[in-house]
Amino acid sequence: MVKADAALRAAAKRIDRLDAEVLLAHLVDVSRLKLLLWPWQTIDVDAFDRLVDRRAAGEPVAYITGQREFWSLVLRVTPDVLIPRPDSETLIEAALDHFAATPGPARVLDLGTGSGALLLSALTEWPAARGVGVDTSDAALRIAAENAVTAGVDERTTFVHGGWDAGEGVFDLVLCNPPYVATGETLPRDVVDWEPAAALFAGADGLDDYRVLAPLIAGYVAPGGVACIEIGSTQANAVTSLFAAHGLSVALRHDLAGLPRCLVVTK
């Protein structure tokens, strides 16, 4: 057995210090803050070293711990789903602004739901809403369903296997974080070697999925509704043009880093 502070110092020589703290807090099942307040706590250093080995080999921390925080939720994640990122919270912020002066959406559609991060976050914000999550991956749908139970919104969710055209009816809020990475683009090792390629890559220019989505979105959005769609930080003009060509109004929302991140699409 070794004290936590000594183990963290050793781990920080191999991996990022914050990653080491998150992994150790996960191992001993305490909050990271509590871990740092009790540096003399003894730990199973062999078990910790195995986690550090995995991170040093490139495995994302979220896949090692099996969870990721997003909005107000702690979500289960595995290599079957894209790891939710803070940038995607921009879509929820945009939706909140759109419905600020209303009771909120009654029906929510999440296209490419993955872990369910966007859909479940929306349903926690609007307790009267019901939602549908669509994905082509059965494994992702199983994880999203598990997360819905943990979030306490499973009775208000339906998950459907299918592509961008699998939604039925109209929705007050449409959420979508499609693949948008160009196939030739270089990504960090812990992304390209671990996260599902189908959730990342979208053709030579990264726009293939937007080309399919653009003519479909108008049919999904109810009067007074909105679609909040994530984009890559360099894609605002190209993707705006695709949706505008189908008679849609498009506004741009930036993330916390000031980068273009979300198209706010209305009829």
Side-chain angles (χ1 to χ4, degrees):
M1 303 294 281
V2 173
K3 290 182 179 180
D5 58 347
L8 285 172
R9 286 197 300 272
K13 296 177 181 179
R14 302 180 59 208
I15 64 173
D16 180 79
R17 167 79 186 209
L18 176 58
D19 289 349
E21 292 172 0
V22 171
L23 292 175
L24 186 52
H26 169 72
L27 177 67
V28 300
D29 195 24
V30 299
S31 70
R32 179 170 158 260
L33 176 60
K34 186 174 181 180
L35 177 72
L36 297 178
L37 291 174
W38 296 87
W40 52 86
Q41 175 177 343
T42 58
I43 66 157
D44 181 345
V45 71
D46 291 334
F48 181 50
D49 283 345
R50 287 192 291 271
L51 298 183
V52 173
D53 287 344
R54 291 170 65 181
R55 181 65 189 126
E59 186 174 356
V61 170
Y63 291 155
I64 298 172
T65 63
Q67 64 184 35
R68 179 68 171 234
E69 294 182 7
F70 184 88
W71 202 245
S72 61
L73 304 172
V74 178
L75 301 168
R76 179 174 178 246
V77 294
T78 75
D80 292 310
V81 298
L82 197 70
I83 297 170
R85 290 163 168 80
D87 292 345
S88 299
E89 294 182 350
T90 309
L91 278 66
I92 303 299
E93 294 168 353
L96 285 168
D97 283 351
H98 180 83
F99 292 103
T102 77
R107 298 192 73 211
V108 181
L109 174 65
D110 182 15
L111 294 168
T113 194
S115 66
L118 292 171
L119 177 62
L120 305 183
S121 297
L123 294 182
T124 61
E125 290 294 331
W126 292 289
R130 303 187 67 86
V132 177
V134 176
D135 207 290
T136 59
S137 166
D138 287 327
L141 291 171
R142 286 192 293 271
I143 292 168
E146 291 178 22
N147 284 328
V149 172
T150 302
V153 299
D154 52 301
E155 294 185 355
R156 295 189 283 128
T157 57
T158 302
F159 293 102
V160 176
H161 180 275
W164 304 128
D165 60 351
E168 294 186 1
V170 294
F171 299 82
D172 304 295
L173 172 59
V174 178
L175 299 164
C176 185
N177 178 14
Y180 55 71
V181 179
T183 51
E185 188 171 337
T186 300
L187 296 176
R189 182 181 63 158
D190 57 357
V191 175
V192 71
D193 288 350
W194 291 92
E195 299 196 57
L200 292 169
F201 297 104
D205 60 0
L207 302 179
D208 283 3
D209 288 275
Y210 296 117
R211 293 188 178 97
V212 178
L213 284 164
L216 296 174
I217 290 298
Y220 285 139
V221 179
V226 66
C228 300
I229 301 170
E230 184 162 335
I231 59 171
S233 61
T234 63
Q235 296 174 323
N237 290 338
V239 184
T240 294
S241 296
L242 289 172
F243 284 90
H246 290 275
L248 296 164
S249 298
V250 183
L252 185 62
R253 181 108 180 183
H254 293 72
D255 61 24
L256 289 176
L259 298 174
R261 188 58 61 191
C262 171
L263 294 189
V264 182
V265 180
T266 54
K267 291 185 177 180

PDB file of all heavy atoms in Angstrom, residues 1 26-27 34 48 61 84-85 103 140 147 170 195 213 223 230 239 246 251 267:
ATOM      1  N   MET A   1       0.848  -1.198   0.000  1.00  0.00           N
ATOM      2  CA  MET A   1       0.000   0.000   0.000  1.00  0.00           C
ATOM      3  C   MET A   1       0.885   1.251   0.000  1.00  0.00           C
ATOM      4  O   MET A   1       1.924   1.295   0.656  1.00  0.00           O
ATOM      5  CB  MET A   1      -0.905   0.013   1.225  1.00  0.00           C
ATOM      6  CG  MET A   1      -1.796  -1.232   1.345  1.00  0.00           C
ATOM      7  SD  MET A   1      -3.028  -1.368   0.021  1.00  0.00           S
ATOM      8  CE  MET A   1      -4.257  -0.218   0.592  1.00  0.00           C
ATOM      9  N   HIS A  26     -11.585   7.559  -8.952  1.00  0.00           N
ATOM     10  CA  HIS A  26     -12.454   6.470  -9.401  1.00  0.00           C
ATOM     11  C   HIS A  26     -12.096   5.160  -8.701  1.00  0.00           C
ATOM     12  O   HIS A  26     -12.982   4.428  -8.239  1.00  0.00           O
ATOM     13  CB  HIS A  26     -12.317   6.304 -10.915  1.00  0.00           C
ATOM     14  CG  HIS A  26     -12.956   5.073 -11.459  1.00  0.00           C
ATOM     15  ND1 HIS A  26     -14.311   4.900 -11.549  1.00  0.00           N
ATOM     16  CD2 HIS A  26     -12.392   3.914 -11.939  1.00  0.00           C
ATOM     17  CE1 HIS A  26     -14.579   3.711 -12.059  1.00  0.00           C
ATOM     18  NE2 HIS A  26     -13.437   3.104 -12.311  1.00  0.00           N
ATOM     19  N   LEU A  27     -10.815   4.898  -8.578  1.00  0.00           N
ATOM     20  CA  LEU A  27     -10.366   3.646  -7.966  1.00  0.00           C
ATOM     21  C   LEU A  27     -10.811   3.540  -6.513  1.00  0.00           C
ATOM     22  O   LEU A  27     -11.292   2.484  -6.075  1.00  0.00           O
ATOM     23  CB  LEU A  27      -8.844   3.535  -8.047  1.00  0.00           C
ATOM     24  CG  LEU A  27      -8.217   2.311  -7.375  1.00  0.00           C
ATOM     25  CD1 LEU A  27      -8.620   1.031  -8.103  1.00  0.00           C
ATOM     26  CD2 LEU A  27      -6.695   2.442  -7.336  1.00  0.00           C
ATOM     27  N   LYS A  34     -12.237  15.241  -2.379  1.00  0.00           N
ATOM     28  CA  LYS A  34     -11.965  14.523  -1.144  1.00  0.00           C
ATOM     29  C   LYS A  34     -10.619  13.822  -1.213  1.00  0.00           C
ATOM     30  O   LYS A  34      -9.866  13.787  -0.231  1.00  0.00           O
ATOM     31  CB  LYS A  34     -13.070  13.517  -0.858  1.00  0.00           C
ATOM     32  CG  LYS A  34     -12.920  12.825   0.495  1.00  0.00           C
ATOM     33  CD  LYS A  34     -14.116  11.946   0.808  1.00  0.00           C
ATOM     34  CE  LYS A  34     -13.956  11.282   2.171  1.00  0.00           C
ATOM     35  NZ  LYS A  34     -15.130  10.419   2.497  1.00  0.00           N
ATOM     36  N   PHE A  48      -3.922   0.863  -9.139  1.00  0.00           N
ATOM     37  CA  PHE A  48      -3.803   2.199  -9.721  1.00  0.00           C
ATOM     38  C   PHE A  48      -2.856   2.197 -10.911  1.00  0.00           C
ATOM     39  O   PHE A  48      -3.135   2.803 -11.954  1.00  0.00           O
ATOM     40  CB  PHE A  48      -3.324   3.185  -8.659  1.00  0.00           C
ATOM     41  CG  PHE A  48      -3.198   4.602  -9.152  1.00  0.00           C
ATOM     42  CD1 PHE A  48      -4.230   5.222  -9.834  1.00  0.00           C
ATOM     43  CD2 PHE A  48      -2.032   5.329  -8.930  1.00  0.00           C
ATOM     44  CE1 PHE A  48      -4.130   6.537 -10.291  1.00  0.00           C
ATOM     45  CE2 PHE A  48      -1.913   6.637  -9.368  1.00  0.00           C
ATOM     46  CZ  PHE A  48      -2.962   7.236 -10.050  1.00  0.00           C
ATOM     47  N   VAL A  61      -9.784   8.528 -20.568  1.00  0.00           N
ATOM     48  CA  VAL A  61     -10.153   8.384 -19.153  1.00  0.00           C
ATOM     49  C   VAL A  61     -11.608   7.961 -19.021  1.00  0.00           C
ATOM     50  O   VAL A  61     -11.953   7.123 -18.179  1.00  0.00           O
ATOM     51  CB  VAL A  61      -9.896   9.701 -18.402  1.00  0.00           C
ATOM     52  CG1 VAL A  61     -10.493   9.652 -16.997  1.00  0.00           C
ATOM     53  CG2 VAL A  61      -8.403   9.991 -18.327  1.00  0.00           C
ATOM     54  N   PRO A  84     -19.168  12.254 -24.640  1.00  0.00           N
ATOM     55  CA  PRO A  84     -19.770  13.595 -24.656  1.00  0.00           C
ATOM     56  C   PRO A  84     -18.761  14.649 -24.226  1.00  0.00           C
ATOM     57  O   PRO A  84     -17.982  14.445 -23.293  1.00  0.00           O
ATOM     58  CB  PRO A  84     -20.905  13.477 -23.629  1.00  0.00           C
ATOM     59  CG  PRO A  84     -21.167  12.015 -23.490  1.00  0.00           C
ATOM     60  CD  PRO A  84     -19.845  11.347 -23.701  1.00  0.00           C
ATOM     61  N   ARG A  85     -18.786  15.779 -24.929  1.00  0.00           N
ATOM     62  CA  ARG A  85     -17.836  16.859 -24.661  1.00  0.00           C
ATOM     63  C   ARG A  85     -18.565  18.136 -24.254  1.00  0.00           C
ATOM     64  O   ARG A  85     -19.704  18.378 -24.693  1.00  0.00           O
ATOM     65  CB  ARG A  85     -16.983  17.108 -25.904  1.00  0.00           C
ATOM     66  CG  ARG A  85     -15.996  15.969 -26.175  1.00  0.00           C
ATOM     67  CD  ARG A  85     -15.473  16.015 -27.588  1.00  0.00           C
ATOM     68  NE  ARG A  85     -14.346  15.127 -27.793  1.00  0.00           N
ATOM     69  CZ  ARG A  85     -14.449  13.807 -27.986  1.00  0.00           C
ATOM     70  NH1 ARG A  85     -15.644  13.226 -27.978  1.00  0.00           N
ATOM     71  NH2 ARG A  85     -13.377  13.066 -28.178  1.00  0.00           N
ATOM     72  N   PRO A 103     -43.438  27.436 -22.141  1.00  0.00           N
ATOM     73  CA  PRO A 103     -43.381  26.287 -21.229  1.00  0.00           C
ATOM     74  C   PRO A 103     -42.321  25.260 -21.622  1.00  0.00           C
ATOM     75  O   PRO A 103     -42.023  24.346 -20.842  1.00  0.00           O
ATOM     76  CB  PRO A 103     -44.787  25.682 -21.341  1.00  0.00           C
ATOM     77  CG  PRO A 103     -45.644  26.776 -21.880  1.00  0.00           C
ATOM     78  CD  PRO A 103     -44.756  27.575 -22.781  1.00  0.00           C
ATOM     79  N   ALA A 140     -25.121   1.393 -28.897  1.00  0.00           N
ATOM     80  CA  ALA A 140     -25.311   2.754 -28.391  1.00  0.00           C
ATOM     81  C   ALA A 140     -26.704   2.927 -27.808  1.00  0.00           C
ATOM     82  O   ALA A 140     -26.876   3.550 -26.751  1.00  0.00           O
ATOM     83  CB  ALA A 140     -25.073   3.765 -29.513  1.00  0.00           C
ATOM     84  N   ASN A 147     -28.697   4.893 -19.511  1.00  0.00           N
ATOM     85  CA  ASN A 147     -28.523   6.254 -18.992  1.00  0.00           C
ATOM     86  C   ASN A 147     -29.860   6.926 -18.713  1.00  0.00           C
ATOM     87  O   ASN A 147     -29.976   7.728 -17.776  1.00  0.00           O
ATOM     88  CB  ASN A 147     -27.693   7.084 -19.969  1.00  0.00           C
ATOM     89  CG  ASN A 147     -26.218   6.734 -19.915  1.00  0.00           C
ATOM     90  OD1 ASN A 147     -25.685   6.359 -18.868  1.00  0.00           O
ATOM     91  ND2 ASN A 147     -25.533   6.855 -21.039  1.00  0.00           N
ATOM     92  N   VAL A 170     -43.553  15.314 -35.951  1.00  0.00           N
ATOM     93  CA  VAL A 170     -42.849  16.577 -35.778  1.00  0.00           C
ATOM     94  C   VAL A 170     -42.509  16.778 -34.311  1.00  0.00           C
ATOM     95  O   VAL A 170     -43.158  16.225 -33.421  1.00  0.00           O
ATOM     96  CB  VAL A 170     -43.688  17.769 -36.299  1.00  0.00           C
ATOM     97  CG1 VAL A 170     -43.869  17.663 -37.799  1.00  0.00           C
ATOM     98  CG2 VAL A 170     -45.031  17.846 -35.588  1.00  0.00           C
ATOM     99  N   GLU A 195     -12.469   5.995 -30.120  1.00  0.00           N
ATOM    100  CA  GLU A 195     -13.871   6.366 -30.276  1.00  0.00           C
ATOM    101  C   GLU A 195     -14.419   5.840 -31.607  1.00  0.00           C
ATOM    102  O   GLU A 195     -13.672   5.646 -32.568  1.00  0.00           O
ATOM    103  CB  GLU A 195     -14.033   7.877 -30.159  1.00  0.00           C
ATOM    104  CG  GLU A 195     -13.584   8.396 -28.793  1.00  0.00           C
ATOM    105  CD  GLU A 195     -14.070   9.793 -28.476  1.00  0.00           C
ATOM    106  OE1 GLU A 195     -15.294  10.000 -28.492  1.00  0.00           O
ATOM    107  OE2 GLU A 195     -13.210  10.669 -28.216  1.00  0.00           O
ATOM    108  N   LEU A 213     -28.970  15.515 -43.843  1.00  0.00           N
ATOM    109  CA  LEU A 213     -29.845  16.119 -42.837  1.00  0.00           C
ATOM    110  C   LEU A 213     -30.592  17.340 -43.362  1.00  0.00           C
ATOM    111  O   LEU A 213     -31.765  17.556 -43.018  1.00  0.00           O
ATOM    112  CB  LEU A 213     -29.024  16.525 -41.612  1.00  0.00           C
ATOM    113  CG  LEU A 213     -28.594  15.413 -40.667  1.00  0.00           C
ATOM    114  CD1 LEU A 213     -27.480  15.899 -39.753  1.00  0.00           C
ATOM    115  CD2 LEU A 213     -29.796  14.939 -39.842  1.00  0.00           C
ATOM    116  N   PRO A 223     -44.104  23.922 -35.938  1.00  0.00           N
ATOM    117  CA  PRO A 223     -44.199  25.389 -35.904  1.00  0.00           C
ATOM    118  C   PRO A 223     -43.776  25.926 -34.542  1.00  0.00           C
ATOM    119  O   PRO A 223     -44.201  25.435 -33.504  1.00  0.00           O
ATOM    120  CB  PRO A 223     -45.696  25.636 -36.163  1.00  0.00           C
ATOM    121  CG  PRO A 223     -46.141  24.437 -36.951  1.00  0.00           C
ATOM    122  CD  PRO A 223     -45.356  23.288 -36.396  1.00  0.00           C
ATOM    123  N   GLU A 230     -24.971  20.508 -34.007  1.00  0.00           N
ATOM    124  CA  GLU A 230     -23.550  20.781 -33.773  1.00  0.00           C
ATOM    125  C   GLU A 230     -22.779  20.791 -35.089  1.00  0.00           C
ATOM    126  O   GLU A 230     -23.071  20.017 -36.016  1.00  0.00           O
ATOM    127  CB  GLU A 230     -22.950  19.750 -32.819  1.00  0.00           C
ATOM    128  CG  GLU A 230     -21.502  20.058 -32.465  1.00  0.00           C
ATOM    129  CD  GLU A 230     -21.019  19.336 -31.217  1.00  0.00           C
ATOM    130  OE1 GLU A 230     -21.837  18.977 -30.355  1.00  0.00           O
ATOM    131  OE2 GLU A 230     -19.797  19.136 -31.121  1.00  0.00           O
ATOM    132  N   VAL A 239     -22.064  24.726 -43.743  1.00  0.00           N
ATOM    133  CA  VAL A 239     -23.262  24.036 -43.264  1.00  0.00           C
ATOM    134  C   VAL A 239     -24.466  24.980 -43.261  1.00  0.00           C
ATOM    135  O   VAL A 239     -25.590  24.570 -43.581  1.00  0.00           O
ATOM    136  CB  VAL A 239     -23.028  23.429 -41.875  1.00  0.00           C
ATOM    137  CG1 VAL A 239     -24.253  22.637 -41.434  1.00  0.00           C
ATOM    138  CG2 VAL A 239     -21.810  22.506 -41.887  1.00  0.00           C
ATOM    139  N   HIS A 246     -32.507  25.028 -48.265  1.00  0.00           N
ATOM    140  CA  HIS A 246     -33.806  24.361 -48.128  1.00  0.00           C
ATOM    141  C   HIS A 246     -34.821  25.271 -47.438  1.00  0.00           C
ATOM    142  O   HIS A 246     -35.815  24.798 -46.868  1.00  0.00           O
ATOM    143  CB  HIS A 246     -33.633  23.051 -47.368  1.00  0.00           C
ATOM    144  CG  HIS A 246     -32.890  22.016 -48.165  1.00  0.00           C
ATOM    145  ND1 HIS A 246     -33.508  21.182 -49.072  1.00  0.00           N
ATOM    146  CD2 HIS A 246     -31.562  21.722 -48.216  1.00  0.00           C
ATOM    147  CE1 HIS A 246     -32.599  20.398 -49.631  1.00  0.00           C
ATOM    148  NE2 HIS A 246     -31.420  20.701 -49.134  1.00  0.00           N
ATOM    149  N   ALA A 251     -29.206  30.582 -37.452  1.00  0.00           N
ATOM    150  CA  ALA A 251     -28.398  31.461 -36.607  1.00  0.00           C
ATOM    151  C   ALA A 251     -27.246  30.646 -36.046  1.00  0.00           C
ATOM    152  O   ALA A 251     -27.316  29.414 -35.960  1.00  0.00           O
ATOM    153  CB  ALA A 251     -29.235  32.054 -35.482  1.00  0.00           C
ATOM    154  N   LYS A 267     -37.825  27.338 -39.087  1.00  0.00           N
ATOM    155  CA  LYS A 267     -38.499  27.482 -40.386  1.00  0.00           C
ATOM    156  C   LYS A 267     -38.742  28.953 -40.696  1.00  0.00           C
ATOM    157  O   LYS A 267     -38.945  29.752 -39.799  1.00  0.00           O
ATOM    158  CB  LYS A 267     -39.817  26.720 -40.344  1.00  0.00           C
ATOM    159  CG  LYS A 267     -39.662  25.221 -40.296  1.00  0.00           C
ATOM    160  CD  LYS A 267     -41.023  24.550 -40.369  1.00  0.00           C
ATOM    161  CE  LYS A 267     -40.921  23.040 -40.392  1.00  0.00           C
ATOM    162  NZ  LYS A 267     -42.214  22.374 -40.458  1.00  0.00           N
TER     163      LYS A 267
END
